[in-house]
Amino acid sequence: MQYSKENTIVQNLPWFKSWFDTAYYHKLYAHRSEKEAADFIDELITELQPLQHAVMLDVGCGNGRHCRQLAAKGFNVTGIDLALSSIKQAKKYETSQLQFFQHDMRKPFGNNHYDYVFSFFTSFGYFKDQTENQRVIRNMVNALKPGSPLVFDYINARYTAERLVPSEEKEIDGIIYSITRWMDDKYFFKKIVIGDNQLGEDLEYTEQVASFGLNDFEFRFGMNYLEIEKVYGDYKLNEYDSKTSPRLIIIAKKNGN
């Protein structure tokens, strides 16, 4: 299959195009747990029971930590992400069963090709134009074979809102990250101000993620021929509770034979 490989230009780009490709982003989020990813994949495989050599796609794969776990179990896995720096890192682990491509999830990435499509760790909801979020869901559906599942891992908006930490500061390798969080009726925001003595001035990025809940996904998935089959609330696949679950993990099936 063919994927686009666009060069990103840092200046005057949306936050998700510039921030995810910086060395500062990778340093700030370097703590993301490989064990957590491995344990989650183990739970999913037990739940999904994929056939041997199933063909899988991870949309917004980052550096490929979930992809690597899936490929290690013998599945044929492709990861796509917009951030070229993440894809370069992920490509170090490529094998005959594991491939990575730089690609914008708003553009099509296959037609009736995959047995499973995954969206891990809130790799969605970045776009101000809601038609773009819809386009991503439609692309995921189109990429799936009829009757195949989409696994969608998102923040639980209510849980996140009630536990929002307004501000904090982190020092990593002598660099200060001043973080401020807030929300409105549509989005969660996180502003990161980076104080690096080697730079002439501070850098600033603001993450923005839609505060979608289960009802929002029921509506959006229904519009795109996805039927929700199961909903879980954490990476151990415990029952979802809107008040107490840290995650919203949805397994939805593409309608069709």
Side-chain angles (χ1 to χ4, degrees), residues 46-48 150-152 214 221 227-233 237-238 240 248-253:
T46 300
E47 170 65 27
L48 297 171
L150 167 68
V151 178
F152 201 90
L214 180 56
F221 284 10
E227 180 180 354
I228 294 178
E229 295 195 322
K230 297 181 180 179
V231 181
Y232 298 105
L237 300 188
N238 289 311
Y240 172 74
L248 172 60
I249 300 170
I250 301 171
I251 300 178
K253 184 176 72 174

Side-chain angles (χ1 to χ4, degrees), residues 43-97:
E43 295 287 349
L44 279 178
I45 296 309
T46 300
E47 170 65 27
L48 297 171
Q49 292 293 305
L51 295 176
Q52 190 177 17
H53 305 307
V55 181
M56 301 176 170
L57 175 69
D58 182 358
V59 180
C61 66
N63 66 8
R65 62 186 178 130
H66 294 95
C67 292
R68 295 196 298 274
Q69 300 298 329
L70 290 166
K73 296 181 180 298
F75 305 116
N76 294 299
V77 184
T78 299
I80 60 173
D81 200 284
L82 182 62
L84 183 58
S85 58
S86 293
I87 292 299
K88 285 181 177 179
Q89 185 175 348
K91 276 185 170 293
K92 298 175 184 177
Y93 302 95
E94 282 192 329
T95 68
S96 60
Q97 291 181 288

Side-chain angles (χ1 to χ4, degrees), residues 177-194:
Y177 297 81
S178 300
I179 300 169
T180 308
R181 299 179 181 87
W182 72 97
M183 61 180 296
D184 61 18
D185 59 340
K186 293 183 179 180
Y187 298 97
F188 292 99
F189 299 92
K190 182 195 289 187
K191 182 171 73 173
I192 302 104
V193 178
I194 301 164

Side-chain angles (χ1 to χ4, degrees), residues 101-218:
F101 300 89
Q102 184 193 24
H103 189 81
D104 189 327
M105 66 178 70
R106 292 170 294 180
K107 297 180 180 180
F109 37 79
N111 186 42
N112 297 330
H113 183 78
Y114 295 97
D115 298 304
Y116 296 86
V117 170
F118 300 98
S119 176
F120 291 120
F121 212 70
T122 315
S123 299
F124 182 80
Y126 302 153
F127 312 118
K128 292 181 180 180
D129 184 348
Q130 292 307 312
T131 62
E132 294 188 314
N133 287 319
Q134 282 294 96
R135 190 175 303 130
V136 173
I137 295 174
R138 175 57 55 87
N139 288 341
M140 291 179 180
V141 173
N142 289 342
L144 280 167
K145 295 176 182 177
S148 293
L150 167 68
V151 178
F152 201 90
D153 166 30
Y154 205 71
I155 56 170
N156 176 4
R158 179 174 179 180
Y159 179 95
T160 301
E162 292 177 353
R163 292 161 178 80
L164 203 67
V165 178
S167 62
E168 63 176 314
E169 189 172 278
K170 297 182 179 182
E171 181 176 352
I172 304 171
D173 296 336
I175 298 169
I176 304 298
Y177 297 81
S178 300
I179 300 169
T180 308
R181 299 179 181 87
W182 72 97
M183 61 180 296
D184 61 18
D185 59 340
K186 293 183 179 180
Y187 298 97
F188 292 99
F189 299 92
K190 182 195 289 187
K191 182 171 73 173
I192 302 104
V193 178
I194 301 164
D196 186 342
N197 290 332
Q198 296 185 10
L199 301 176
E201 58 185 9
D202 290 347
L203 296 176
E204 181 179 311
Y205 298 90
T206 301
E207 299 178 5
Q208 174 182 304
V209 176
S211 57
F212 293 143
L214 180 56
N215 290 340
D216 297 301
F217 287 115
E218 287 174 339

Side-chain angles (χ1 to χ4, degrees), residues 29-44 63-66 68-70 73 121 235-236:
Y29 292 108
H31 66 279
R32 288 178 174 172
S33 171
E34 295 287 339
K35 184 179 186 304
E36 179 188 73
D39 290 347
F40 182 32
I41 293 302
D42 286 344
E43 295 287 349
L44 279 178
N63 66 8
R65 62 186 178 130
H66 294 95
R68 295 196 298 274
Q69 300 298 329
L70 290 166
K73 296 181 180 298
F121 212 70
Y235 292 137
K236 295 186 181 297

Side-chain angles (χ1 to χ4, degrees), residues 19-31 62-63 83 85-87 89 177:
W19 170 229
F20 288 158
D21 243 339
T22 68
Y24 298 108
Y25 167 80
H26 291 287
K27 287 183 179 180
L28 181 61
Y29 292 108
H31 66 279
N63 66 8
S85 58
S86 293
I87 292 299
Q89 185 175 348
Y177 297 81

